Amino acid sequence: MSIDEEILRLLDATAAGLEPGADTLDELGPDRVARILLDEIVDRARLDTLGTFADTVVVEFRLACHTGAAIVFLSLGDGGCTVSTEPPRAADVVVGQQLGEVCLAVFGPAESVSASTRSVYWNHGNLLEPGAAAAPVFAVTQRLLGALDRRERPGLAELAVRFGSDKWGPHQFTRHYERHLEPWRDKRLTVLEVGIGGYDDPAGGGASLRMWRGYFPRARVYGVDMWDKSGVDGPRITTVRANQADVEAMSAVAAKYGPFDLVVDDGSHVSELTRGTFDVLFPHVRSGGLYVVEDVQTSYWPVFGGNGTDLDDPDTTIGFGKQLVDGLNHDELLLTHEREAAVTDHQIEGVHFYRNLMVLEKGTNLGQSPIADKLNEAIRAADGA
Ligand SMILES: C[S@@+](CC[C@H](N)C(=O)[O-])C[C@H]1O[C@@H](n2cnc3c(N)ncnc32)[C@H](O)[C@@H]1O
C-alpha cells in the first residue's frame, strides 16, 4: 500500500468522528500508523521556525493501542528534525496518548480533536525551577502538541511564503482565498491545481501544493503540469503530467481524481487554454465548490492570447468572466438582449473578481423575475402588434 493509500485509509476510518477500529490499525500496523501520524504532526508544526538550539531535543511519543504501544522518537538538533523508531538517546519528554485518539486529532473532523488520554512526562531539567535549559524542550513540545491539537495553525500567506509560492508577495491572492476557504479548513477536501511550478525540474516547484496541504489538514491535493513533477509527490500530494491543451488527458485526470472541491488554474495563463480547461474541469467541481483562475490580467495581453483593444472580448478569460456575470442574472434579461443561454447559467451562483484573480462559486442558480417576465410580455406584445 502506498503512503497515499495508507493516509486515505486513515482519513476514511476517521471521517465519521470515530477512532479507527482495531481492524484498520492491524491492517496498516500500529507502528506504521504512528509513523505516518508523527510525520504529519512534524510537517504541521514548522519546528524550523523555532530557531536553532545548542542541544538536541528528543521527544518520545508512546501511542497506546490494543496490541501495546507504538513508540516513535523525534529529535531536533543542528541537522534538522528526524523521526525514528529507534531512540537516539533517552528522551527529554515522553508524550503518551491513545493511538486512536491521535489518529482522530490528525485526520478526523475538527470537533473530534481531543487530548483526553494524553500524559506528558518531563525528563529534562529541574521541574521545580524550569529555566533556560528546559526552554527548548518546552518550546518544541508545545509546538508539536499545538499542531496535533490544531490550535496553532499558520495562515495561507505564511504558508505561501514558507514554501515559496507567489500567491502572496508578487500577488496578494492569499487573503482573497482565505475569505472563501477559511470555513472549509477542517473539511475533507479534494484540491486540484493546474500549474505546479519549477518547470522542467521534476523536484522543483510544488510550493502551492504544499501550501494547500498545510492549510487543509484533511485534504488530498493533486497537481497537474506539462512537465514531470514526480519529485514533488509526497504524503497527500500527487502530481500528474498533462498538458492543459490536451482535453483527453485533462478529462482523464478529472475522471480519476475528481470530483473536486477546489480547482485552481495557475498554468499557462493563455486565455484559450484557460477556457478549454474550464470546460473540461468545471463539470467535475462539486456543487458548493470553487473554480479559481489566477493571473487573469493576461486577458489584456496579446502574447497570452489576450486582447489589447477589446475589453469585452469573450475569448479572453476576463471577457468570459464578464459573460458569467450576465449568466448570474440570466432570468432577469430581456428578449431584446438576444443572449444565448449557457449551460453554466444554472450552475454558477457567484462570480468574484479580485486584482488578477477570478473566483467562481459552483451552485444552483435558479430564480424568478416577475418584473422581467412582465417586461418581456410587453416586448412580445409590441413585436406582435
Ligand atoms: C506559475 S507556475 C505555477 C506556480 C504554482 N502554482 C505556485 O503557486 O507555486 C506555472 C506552471 O504552469 C505550468 N504550465 C505552463 N503551461 C502549461 C500547460 N499548457 N499545461 C500544463 N502546465 C503548464 C508550467 O510548467 C509551470 O510549472
Side-chain angles (χ1 to χ4, degrees):
M1 207 186 284
S2 69
I3 171 85
D4 246 21
E5 289 164 332
E6 289 169 325
I7 289 179
L8 204 57
R9 193 84 188 75
L10 291 173
L11 282 164
D12 284 342
T14 52
L18 300 170
E19 292 185 14
D23 52 338
T24 305
L25 296 181
D26 286 341
E27 184 192 347
L28 299 174
D31 291 336
R32 179 68 189 144
V33 172
R35 180 63 201 247
I36 292 169
L37 296 173
L38 250 291
D39 283 340
E40 272 283 340
I41 295 165
V42 167
D43 189 54
R44 296 179 194 179
R46 300 163 292 125
L47 295 171
D48 55 300
T49 61
L50 292 174
T52 50
F53 305 121
D55 298 317
T56 300
V57 174
V58 178
V59 184
E60 177 177 336
F61 280 83
R62 281 175 192 244
L63 305 180
C65 65
H66 62 295
T67 55
I71 300 178
V72 188
F73 298 88
L74 175 144
S75 67
L76 183 69
D78 270 357
C81 180
T82 49
V83 177
S84 62
T85 46
E86 292 302 319
R89 63 164 170 75
D92 298 302
V93 54
V94 180
V95 176
Q97 196 164 345
Q98 289 288 334
L99 182 63
E101 189 177 62
V102 176
C103 282
L104 256 188
V106 172
F107 289 123
E111 60 276 13
S112 58
V113 176
S114 161
S116 69
T117 65
R118 181 177 299 155
S119 60
V120 180
Y121 288 99
W122 307 99
N123 292 331
H124 189 283
N126 179 352
L127 286 182
L128 293 178
E129 290 179 52
V137 181
F138 289 162
V140 170
T141 309
Q142 185 262 335
R143 182 64 77 81
L144 287 168
L145 299 183
L148 170 56
D149 298 340
R150 295 192 215 167
R151 275 182 284 108
E152 289 200 9
R153 307 208 284 183
L156 260 190
E158 183 182 336
L159 289 165
V161 172
R162 175 172 176 74
F163 295 118
S165 168
D166 68 356
K167 288 176 178 24
W168 193 89
H171 298 295
Q172 294 286 309
F173 295 155
T174 50
R175 70 194 169 100
H176 305 311
Y177 273 118
E178 275 184 326
R179 177 178 297 171
H180 296 276
L181 300 178
E182 216 279 328
W184 293 10
R185 213 162 166 181
D186 286 297
K187 289 191 193 289
R188 259 194 93 173
L189 301 170
T190 306
V191 176
L192 172 70
E193 179 154 0
V194 180
I196 296 172
Y199 297 87
D200 58 351
D201 173 3
S208 54
L209 302 187
R210 295 187 185 106
M211 180 193 79
W212 296 127
R213 176 175 66 182
Y215 192 70
F216 297 121
R218 303 175 70 216
R220 292 283 301 105
V221 179
Y222 298 96
V224 171
D225 205 284
M226 61 195 287
W227 299 99
D228 166 27
K229 307 301 301 178
S230 52
V232 172
D233 287 349
R236 297 196 287 120
I237 292 181
T238 301
T239 64
V240 185
R241 184 175 190 175
N243 192 313
Q244 70 180 127
D246 184 342
V247 170
E248 224 171 275
M250 294 299 284
S251 301
V253 170
K256 183 164 181 189
Y257 298 112
F260 306 107
D261 300 282
L262 170 65
V263 171
V264 176
D265 184 347
D266 186 21
S268 67
H269 305 306
V270 172
S271 285
E272 188 187 348
L273 301 188
T274 304
R275 175 61 195 275
T277 298
F278 172 85
D279 289 343
V280 172
L281 295 183
F282 187 72
H284 295 271
V285 175
R286 282 199 181 95
S287 187
L290 291 184
Y291 192 99
V292 181
V293 185
E294 296 190 358
D295 291 334
V296 292
Q297 75 281 10
T298 54
S299 296
Y300 305 124
W301 303 335
V303 283
F304 281 89
N307 193 317
T309 50
D310 180 4
L311 291 170
D312 293 326
D313 180 351
D315 291 333
T316 68
T317 305
I318 288 187
F320 172 59
K322 288 175 179 174
Q323 289 199 324
L324 295 178
V325 174
D326 294 328
L328 277 179
N329 299 298
H330 63 93
D331 40 21
E332 309 285 356
L333 300 180
L334 302 185
L335 294 170
T336 45
H337 287 116
E338 295 183 352
R339 176 182 175 274
E340 255 180 59
V343 279
T344 47
D345 287 352
H346 293 179
Q347 301 171 343
I348 293 182
E349 60 172 346
V351 177
H352 306 258
F353 277 103
Y354 304 95
R355 185 184 168 90
N356 302 350
L357 189 71
M358 179 169 79
V359 178
L360 307 176
E361 282 183 82
K362 187 163 181 176
T364 304
N365 181 40
L366 291 173
Q368 289 170 297
S369 179
I371 296 177
D373 289 349
K374 277 215 172 320
L375 293 171
N376 280 326
E377 257 171 48
I379 290 170
R380 268 191 219 98
D383 278 355

